[in-house]
């Protein structure tokens, strides 16, 4: 499973970060606000290994995003083991299993290649163009879209926050080229010692605590927070 997202735009202005001002004196930044351009970060993230692939850009139209996604995904697929060939009916059932429970299901192609990758994307119209979706299916990639207002389900956003904080906190870039260089260099440094991601965190812990405090009523969906004697 890989996840994809576009982060930014990030401005070429001083960014907040740890400061070393003398005790009792406030942190100071330049009083000038100069618009020196912005940059965005295209990201593909593999949670199981922690590996990330990025590309810094100054614009993020479909004409920029889609070719980068296609080339990068092609490189990733080339590094994967050969796909296991199964009977057509069984292969289609594998694809359809990942559509179970979806409120909106897009039509699968008549002939499907072996499923090789799950790709999680945000629910943006640019991610759903027929040309891109057909290309993904032809490569054996199943796109899965996060629900509206559910972008936090996309772990690419988590790695982006880490990379951006490391690259820009306390820095004062003066142009988009610097922004792109620092962001990409930070991603290269991350890939030298990547950290795998496991789904969970504070939300999962809260859900688990809530479940232990609930007492079901007569086998129904209702529950109480107090034990009924």
């Amino acid at each position: 499973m890989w996840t994809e997202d576009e982060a930014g735009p990030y401005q070429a202005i001083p960014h907040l970060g740890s400061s070393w001002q003398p005790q009792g004196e406030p942190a100071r930044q330049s009083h000038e606000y100069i618009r020196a351009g912005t940059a965005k970060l295209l990201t593909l993230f593999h949670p199981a290994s922690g590996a990330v692939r990025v590309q810094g850009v100054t614009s993020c139209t479909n004409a920029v995003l889609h070719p980068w996604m296609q080339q990068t995904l092609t490189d990733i697929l080339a590094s994967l083991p050969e796909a296991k060939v199964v009977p057509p009916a069984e292969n289609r059932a594998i694809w359809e299993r990942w559509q179970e429970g979806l409120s909106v299901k897009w039509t699968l192609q008549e002939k499907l290649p072996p499923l090789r990758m799950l790709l999680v994307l945000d629910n943006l119209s640019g991610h759903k163009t027929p040309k891109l979706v057909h290309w993904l299916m032809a490569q054996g990639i199943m796109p899965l879209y996060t629900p509206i207002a559910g972008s936090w389900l996309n772990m690419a956003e988590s790695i982006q926050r880490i990379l951006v904080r490391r690259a820009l906190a306390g820095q004062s870039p003066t142009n988009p080229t610097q922004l792109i260089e620092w962001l990409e260099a930070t991603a290269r440094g991350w890939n030298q010692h990547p950290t795998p991601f496991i789904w969970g965190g504070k939300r999962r812990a809260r859900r688990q605590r809530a479940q232990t405090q609930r007492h079901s009523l007569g086998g129904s969906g209702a529950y109480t927070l107090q034990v009924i004697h």
Side-chain angles (χ1 to χ4, degrees), residues 93-120:
I94 294 174
W95 283 78
E96 291 176 344
R97 181 169 65 88
W98 289 102
Q99 288 193 325
E100 293 179 3
L102 298 180
S103 57
V104 179
K105 301 179 181 180
W106 40 271
T107 304
L108 296 173
Q109 294 177 346
E110 185 65 27
K111 294 183 178 180
L112 292 168
L115 182 60
R116 305 190 67 193
M117 180 189 297
L118 303 176
L119 180 63
V120 177

Side-chain angles (χ1 to χ4, degrees), residues 4-213:
E4 190 278 336
D5 192 38
E6 310 88 47
Y10 303 108
Q11 297 189 64
I13 58 175
H15 291 259
L16 294 176
S18 300
S19 58
W20 296 88
Q21 73 275 8
Q23 185 175 4
E25 295 189 15
R28 295 182 173 88
Q29 288 186 325
S30 173
H31 66 282
E32 297 180 348
Y33 184 80
I34 301 174
R35 294 181 180 271
T38 62
K40 301 194 74 171
L41 190 67
L42 311 182
T43 307
L44 277 165
F45 179 55
H46 186 231
S49 67
V52 62
R53 303 199 182 198
V54 303
Q55 176 70 53
V57 295
T58 55
S59 66
C60 190
T61 62
N62 289 346
V64 175
L65 174 62
H66 292 181
W68 176 80
M69 285 181 58
Q70 291 172 340
Q71 181 59 55
T72 308
L73 290 171
T74 299
D75 295 340
I76 294 171
L77 290 173
S79 66
L80 298 179
E82 290 293 331
K84 180 181 179 181
V85 179
V86 297
E90 182 180 346
N91 184 54
R92 176 167 288 274
I94 294 174
W95 283 78
E96 291 176 344
R97 181 169 65 88
W98 289 102
Q99 288 193 325
E100 293 179 3
L102 298 180
S103 57
V104 179
K105 301 179 181 180
W106 40 271
T107 304
L108 296 173
Q109 294 177 346
E110 185 65 27
K111 294 183 178 180
L112 292 168
L115 182 60
R116 305 190 67 193
M117 180 189 297
L118 303 176
L119 180 63
V120 177
L121 310 98
D122 287 348
N123 201 337
L124 302 177
S125 58
H127 295 160
K128 299 181 177 181
T129 60
K131 184 177 180 180
L132 177 63
V133 173
H134 291 163
W135 183 89
L136 291 172
M137 280 193 290
Q139 313 307 312
I141 302 173
M142 177 74 166
L144 298 172
Y145 302 102
T146 59
I148 296 175
S151 60
W152 56 272
L153 294 168
N154 188 343
M155 282 190 276
E157 295 202 359
S158 301
I159 187 63
Q160 286 170 340
R161 284 191 290 271
I162 294 173
L163 296 179
V164 171
R165 184 170 61 249
R166 291 185 178 184
L168 302 182
Q171 302 298 323
S172 300
T174 58
N175 55 69
T177 301
Q178 279 187 332
L179 287 167
I180 291 173
E181 290 176 352
W182 296 349
L183 290 168
E184 292 182 349
T186 303
R188 290 193 296 270
W190 169 273
N191 282 329
Q192 292 180 5
H193 302 284
T195 300
F197 281 28
I198 299 176
W199 185 252
K202 295 181 179 179
R203 289 186 177 89
R204 182 181 182 186
R206 286 197 297 267
R207 288 195 296 267
Q208 290 177 335
R209 288 197 300 270
Q211 289 295 335
T212 60
Q213 296 170 358

